[in-house]
Amino acid sequence: MKTIKNISTAAILFSTLLLGITITNPTNTAQADNATTETNDRVVSNTIVYEEGNSVVNTSRVTGTVGYQQAVVAPAGYKLADPTNNFVTLLDGVNPRIYVKVTKLAMSDPVTTTINYIDSATNQPVGKQTLTGYEDQSFALNAPNLYKLDNSNDTTYTLIKNVYSRKVYVSPEKLAAGEITNTVRYRIKGTGIYVGQQTLVSGKPGSQQAYEAPAGYRLAFNQSSVYFISSDRAHSIHIADVQKDESAGQTKVNFVELGTGVVIGNTMINGDFGQTLPISFPNGYEPINSADQNLVLRPYETQKDILVKKSNKDTNNDNGTVQKNNLLVKSLTDAPLYDVNGKKISNRSLGLNSEWASDRYMVLNGTTYYHVSTNEWAKASDMLIYYGFNSTVTTKDGVNVPLFSANGTQSNRNLSPNTKWATDKYATINGVKMFRVSTNEWVRGTDLK
């Protein structure tokens, strides 16, 4: 599933690419790939204490299960003492403390530099990134969404005193065959006030995307949760109504590479406090901790660092055959969910008539499953497969045309002959190609001109 990214990247928190740790408890020094630390389901809070020599320079509070391997990032103005280890293992006990050794960066007054991203073809600005830290501190540069850096030497930038701005040239990313770009904006319902930043998204005309409300907001009642990429310029800007919600929250997840400490990407998780939400990982990476497949949204946790490693596997299942696809699916029932091994997930399901984008399908022991979230699959028998199709259809002359539900049951409603109807999807239902003309009403292709 694609993630919508802001064109203007928010100011980056203090960080460094030179990371590592020294931990006073020797049981925590093993690399995560070889760790044999006993784990259990007991959730604990640990305090990580960052020390330079015998002086405490910062502390952070982290929550997880006993044995969880927590990524660590040095405080502003410091780097971790050992660049090969960049995690700690959470301990059981009463208010356990884990000590991490750090060393100072070359200190000076705080330095702020604005990176201005310039389209090299048009010489026009397309975004900016503000870096704040200390001289000699390095940051990863993030090109605006749908752009790439022209010069590979610009992947990192080191702060220099008295350099307040710099131009970095970028080029548009080459879109996949048939893809186009659309714009998304979020508006407070009943007002002309827009919140969040305008974003660009890409996809093929008719493909489905999901709205992602800004932090502290939720999609307004009756606001659709999805939209379709449009090639029509008049419909290429999508406006979603949102409303303020104190129970809604947002956590920024940083993916920290094991052994290097490099933050190789991030994502924003939005939802309600207390919800357990799936995490989408960068391509080619997987979490060190199996518990990191999902995130519990907490009011005090606005940012979380997660330890990841490179992976060549598309899935950890050796029994099923996984193939990539790009489908839209709709649940025909309160559909149970399964893991990649076909085991039913007891506390999760898809609501009736809910719509999902699926990027993969799997055939396991003769049963077909569609991938609908990070580690969750739905049986094909519980889903309707359909395709985006923004167009108009016209019923045949002479007789009223019957309507059908998504499961193929004929309705008591009909369409008048020779009338035009807007449609946004088509699907094969009970072996017949049908077009959707209302929320849960479909017309057979054989009844159209």
Side-chain angles (χ1 to χ4, degrees):
M1 305 180 190
K2 293 186 178 179
T3 302
I4 300 174
K5 298 180 180 177
N6 290 340
I7 290 179
S8 296
T9 306
I12 292 186
L13 298 175
F14 298 148
S15 62
T16 176
L17 295 179
L18 300 174
L19 303 177
I21 64 171
T22 299
I23 305 170
T24 57
N25 183 346
T27 62
N28 293 326
T29 58
Q31 285 288 344
D33 283 334
N34 303 316
T36 57
T37 305
E38 182 180 353
T39 62
N40 59 44
D41 294 330
R42 176 174 164 77
V43 177
V44 294
S45 290
N46 283 202
T47 299
I48 301 177
V49 181
Y50 297 90
E51 288 186 320
E52 185 196 18
N54 294 321
S55 301
V56 175
V57 298
N58 199 5
T59 62
S60 63
R61 192 77 167 161
V62 295
T63 301
T65 54
V66 176
Y68 176 87
Q69 289 154 351
Q70 172 67 48
V72 291
V73 178
Y78 291 85
K79 63 180 179 180
L80 301 179
D82 183 352
T84 62
N85 293 326
N86 61 295
F87 71 94
V88 296
T89 301
L90 298 193
L91 307 174
D92 203 352
V94 179
N95 192 27
R97 300 165 73 82
I98 303 175
Y99 293 85
V100 175
K101 294 295 186 182
V102 297
T103 58
K104 277 188 178 181
L105 293 170
M107 293 299 292
S108 64
D109 293 333
V111 176
T112 297
T113 298
T114 298
I115 304 297
N116 296 297
Y117 293 103
I118 308 297
D119 187 318
S120 54
T122 64
N123 206 35
Q124 295 298 310
V126 292
K128 63 182 179 180
Q129 182 178 358
T130 301
L131 311 176
T132 300
Y134 295 91
E135 190 167 20
D136 294 333
Q137 190 172 352
S138 297
F139 294 87
L141 295 191
N142 301 314
N145 191 33
L146 303 183
Y147 281 88
K148 62 182 179 180
L149 299 170
D150 285 351
N151 190 334
S152 60
N153 294 325
D154 283 332
T155 55
T156 62
Y157 179 80
T158 300
L159 291 179
I160 302 172
K161 196 172 183 178
N162 298 324
V163 176
Y164 304 108
S165 66
R166 181 182 154 196
K167 292 181 179 179
V168 171
Y169 288 90
V170 295
S171 300
E173 287 273 17
K174 185 178 180 180
L175 300 178
E179 282 196 341
I180 58 174
T181 60
N182 278 194
T183 302
V184 177
R185 302 184 69 191
Y186 295 94
R187 176 181 61 195
I188 298 178
K189 186 175 182 180
T191 74
I193 300 173
Y194 289 86
V195 294
Q197 294 183 341
Q198 183 168 278
T199 60
L200 281 182
V201 294
S202 64
K204 292 185 177 181
S207 64
Q208 179 180 268
Q209 301 283 329
Y211 287 119
E212 296 185 3
Y217 291 85
R218 65 163 62 251
L219 294 176
F221 183 68
N222 288 336
Q223 168 65 53
S224 172
S225 62
V226 298
Y227 61 96
F228 292 87
I229 297 291
S230 175
S231 58
D232 181 355
R233 177 171 292 186
H235 297 92
S236 64
I237 298 178
H238 306 276
I239 297 176
D241 284 332
V242 296
Q243 60 193 48
K244 189 72 175 175
D245 188 350
E246 298 300 330
S247 69
Q250 182 181 73
T251 296
K252 180 182 181 181
V253 175
N254 298 312
F255 301 108
V256 183
E257 187 176 36
L258 172 69
T260 69
V262 174
V263 179
I264 52 91
N266 56 65
T267 187
M268 303 300 292
I269 306 295
N270 298 278
D272 291 331
F273 296 132
Q275 284 185 325
T276 301
L277 302 170
I279 299 175
S280 295
F281 286 81
N283 290 334
Y285 286 86
E286 63 183 5
I288 294 294
N289 304 284
S290 60
D292 284 333
Q293 296 287 352
N294 300 291
L295 172 78
V296 176
L297 206 59
R298 308 173 191 273
Y300 54 83
E301 195 171 57
T302 58
Q303 180 165 293
K304 183 175 177 63
D305 298 323
I306 288 179
L307 202 63
V308 297
K309 64 180 180 180
K310 289 184 178 178
S311 172
N312 295 321
K313 298 182 294 183
D314 184 54
T315 173
N316 60 2
N317 175 49
D318 295 328
N319 301 315
T321 301
V322 175
Q323 300 289 335
K324 293 184 178 181
N325 60 22
N326 184 19
L327 297 175
L328 306 175
V329 294
K330 181 176 183 176
S331 55
L332 297 174
T333 181
D334 188 15
L337 289 170
Y338 302 83
D339 66 16
V340 74
N341 297 306
K343 182 180 179 181
K344 187 176 180 179
I345 299 172
S346 61
N347 61 342
R348 300 266 292 171
S349 64
L350 303 181
L352 174 65
N353 290 329
S354 58
E355 299 175 335
W356 303 85
S358 176
D359 61 348
R360 283 171 284 172
Y361 72 91
M362 170 179 68
V363 180
L364 179 62
N365 298 326
T367 301
T368 300
Y369 299 82
Y370 290 102
H371 184 237
V372 292
S373 75
T374 303
N375 191 34
E376 294 177 326
W377 303 72
K379 285 186 177 180
S381 56
D382 293 330
M383 310 301 289
L384 170 69
I385 304 168
Y386 60 89
Y387 302 88
F389 183 71
N390 291 307
S391 186
T392 302
V393 295
T394 304
T395 57
K396 286 184 175 180
D397 296 327
V399 295
N400 289 334
V401 171
L403 290 170
F404 298 82
S405 67
N407 61 13
T409 302
Q410 185 170 338
S411 167
N412 59 3
R413 286 162 43 89
N414 299 284
L415 300 181
S416 299
N418 196 31
T419 54
K420 291 185 177 182
W421 300 88
T423 180
D424 62 351
K425 302 179 181 72
Y426 71 85
T428 300
I429 301 174
N430 293 340
V432 178
K433 187 174 183 179
M434 295 191 185
F435 295 82
R436 191 175 89 148
V437 292
S438 72
T439 303
N440 193 33
E441 292 182 319
W442 300 71
V443 60
R444 294 178 298 201
T446 52
D447 291 329
L448 301 174
K449 288 184 178 181

